Amino acid sequence: MGTIKTTNIEPIADNGTVTLGSSGDTFSLGSGVVQSNLNYPAFMATMGTSNQTVTNDTTTKVQLTNEVIDTDNAFDNSTNYRFTVPSGGAGKYLINGAVTIRSAASTVSLVYAWLYKNGSGVNLSMANFNNNPVFITTQNFSVLIDLVVGDYIELFGYIDASSGTPAFDPGVTGDTIKSTYLAGYRIGS
Amino acid sequence: MSDIFVDNIKHQSSQGSGTITIGASGETITVPTGVTLDTTSATQNRPAFQVGRSTNQTLSDGTNTVIAFDISRFDIGSNYSTSTYRFTAPKAGRYFFTTQVRIDNAPSGGYVRCYFGVNGNSGYSGSNFNYGHVISGGNHSTDYESFSVSAVLNLSVNDYVQVFAGKQGNTTANFQGESQFSGYFLG
């Protein structure tokens, strides 16, 4: 057994590659060792504290103004409300999203929660309460998607309500418990 | 502080089968910002897949049916079969699975359910489906609705996982193509 004690490992040439092991080898983190940055980039964004009023029967982007996690400063919470894959971040991502949608009591008959990738829908959670309209509902999804550098993802919602003020709702208990969000992290290449 | 400049690190005696341990308890292994940790290690190039459905599928009354996800969007390791609709574990460990299915014509007074099955079984015990399950029924019945289920399952080599849906009621319920099934190896 050989032991190397050091604090940095770098390639010989700047911007080079350090190859660890060969086929069949196992790299094992010692018990209690922590690997930092595992599953980065990672992000989670929620709405603020106010409802977002939306136009009935219109697919609308959810304005996720509150960043909970944004490890790589890749989520835009002020203009486009989107996560953009940063340099070095290409790979498979687990994405979770939810939209809480409301209007007047017993008026909401159709709701969608969309995951958009580069401006187009790629995943959809929906409910049609046509025979039993509701006051409020949350549609959620969880999906693995393949992203490359520069790809961006966004959360959209849709409501069909017969009356009231259609809106996306940030959550409950004074909007401190969030039920409208978009979150994700990279699981690997 | 000391630096090692190197291009390869290999096991000293058994290249191809040995174990190299990084760090000791209490230490942190840092991958600096801008460094790409890629791509051939077991944890980075882990089994992962996402599959979808090309057409609608009828659900029979009182029968739990395997959802026939027949479109592979990606499948690292080729562990998902679009003919048997199974993800088969290539190695033992914990796996994360998630699915989202759209079911139309949920029967009023009846129910619709969706769950994961392992080796063809629901894991039903007492009142629980132990592999992950959701159900909607009674007055909550809808014209259509998306069901989302996620679970971490402990699998042995060659265990297989499928998505099942079932309904009970007077109407003809359909599983719709706007659905997906995803999973990956955790460790």
Side-chain angles (χ1 to χ4, degrees):
Chain A
M1 176 179 181
T3 299
I4 297 173
K5 294 187 177 182
T6 185
T7 50
N8 275 298
I9 299 175
E10 297 185 22
I12 295 171
D14 283 345
N15 302 315
T17 297
V18 178
T19 300
L20 302 176
S22 53
S23 179
D25 284 347
T26 298
F27 275 81
S28 173
L29 292 181
S31 176
V33 172
V34 175
Q35 179 184 334
S36 68
N37 305 346
L38 187 65
N39 292 129
Y40 284 12
F43 71 96
M44 179 171 180
T46 69
M47 292 179 64
T49 57
S50 302
N51 289 350
Q52 178 184 340
T53 302
V54 298
T55 303
N56 200 43
D57 294 331
T58 303
T59 301
T60 305
K61 187 188 300 186
V62 180
Q63 296 176 0
L64 300 168
T65 59
N66 180 45
E67 286 184 359
V68 180
I69 299 168
D70 188 10
T71 63
D72 289 61
N73 194 30
F75 193 90
D76 173 359
N77 66 337
S78 60
T79 305
N80 291 309
Y81 313 108
R82 65 176 56 155
F83 169 79
T84 303
V85 178
S87 176
K92 310 297 186 293
Y93 283 73
L94 178 66
I95 305 296
N96 301 289
V99 186
T100 297
I101 301 169
R102 65 187 295 166
S103 192
S106 301
T107 64
V108 178
S109 59
L110 180 61
V111 291
Y112 294 163
W114 279 102
L115 176 65
Y116 271 47
K117 173 183 171 182
N118 299 333
S120 299
V122 294
N123 201 69
L124 172 63
S125 176
M126 69 191 80
N128 185 340
F129 302 99
N130 189 41
N131 296 323
N132 299 284
V134 298
F135 162 55
I136 187 169
T137 184
T138 299
Q139 293 300 303
N140 66 298
F141 58 80
S142 182
V143 63
L144 280 183
I145 60 173
D146 198 359
L147 298 175
V148 299
V149 174
D151 280 351
Y152 61 90
I153 57 173
E154 301 162 307
L155 183 66
F156 279 74
Y158 173 95
I159 179 173
D160 180 3
S162 58
S163 64
T165 304
F168 302 147
D169 193 320
V172 297
T173 315
D175 297 328
T176 57
I177 299 175
K178 301 299 185 182
S179 59
T180 297
Y181 58 87
L182 185 65
Y185 57 88
R186 183 179 181 270
I187 68 163
S189 56
Chain B
M1 176 176 178
S2 61
D3 293 344
I4 294 176
F5 295 89
V6 66
D7 289 327
N8 279 284
I9 298 175
K10 294 184 179 180
H11 194 276
Q12 62 173 341
S13 59
S14 56
Q15 296 176 17
S17 61
T19 296
I20 300 169
T21 300
I22 301 176
S25 180
E27 295 175 351
T28 297
I29 308 299
T30 299
V31 180
T33 300
V35 171
T36 300
L37 185 60
D38 217 19
T39 56
T40 57
S41 74
T43 54
Q44 289 296 300
N45 201 20
R46 65 186 73 185
F49 71 97
Q50 198 232 97
V51 294
R53 172 70 184 170
S54 59
T55 59
N56 300 341
Q57 180 180 342
T58 300
L59 300 178
S60 300
D61 195 40
T63 301
N64 296 321
T65 305
V66 174
I67 300 299
F69 289 107
D70 58 358
I71 300 172
S72 176
R73 301 201 170 97
F74 62 83
D75 183 13
I76 299 173
S78 301
N79 301 299
Y80 184 89
S81 168
T82 53
S83 56
T84 64
Y85 321 120
R86 298 174 177 179
F87 171 83
T88 301
K91 54 186 174 181
R94 278 76 175 179
Y95 290 77
F96 175 83
F97 294 97
T98 185
T99 189
Q100 177 189 322
V101 300
R102 168 181 163 173
I103 296 177
D104 285 18
N105 301 318
S108 177
Y111 64 78
V112 175
R113 65 164 31 111
C114 180
Y115 61 89
F116 292 121
V118 177
N119 298 330
N121 299 316
S122 66
Y124 184 78
S125 175
S127 58
N128 296 316
F129 287 78
N130 291 326
Y131 303 136
H133 168 251
V134 292
I135 189 169
S136 178
N139 292 329
H140 188 59
S141 296
T142 61
D143 281 6
Y144 55 82
E145 186 171 10
S146 294
F147 291 76
S148 185
V149 191
S150 299
V152 175
L153 301 179
N154 190 21
L155 302 179
S156 300
V157 174
N158 292 326
D159 280 350
Y160 62 89
V161 177
Q162 298 163 298
V163 179
F164 287 78
K167 71 101 180 177
Q168 190 165 62
N170 296 324
T171 58
T172 301
N174 297 304
F175 160 75
Q176 298 285 315
E178 295 163 327
S179 305
Q180 60 84 24
F181 176 32
S182 308
Y184 69 97
F185 179 70
L186 290 171

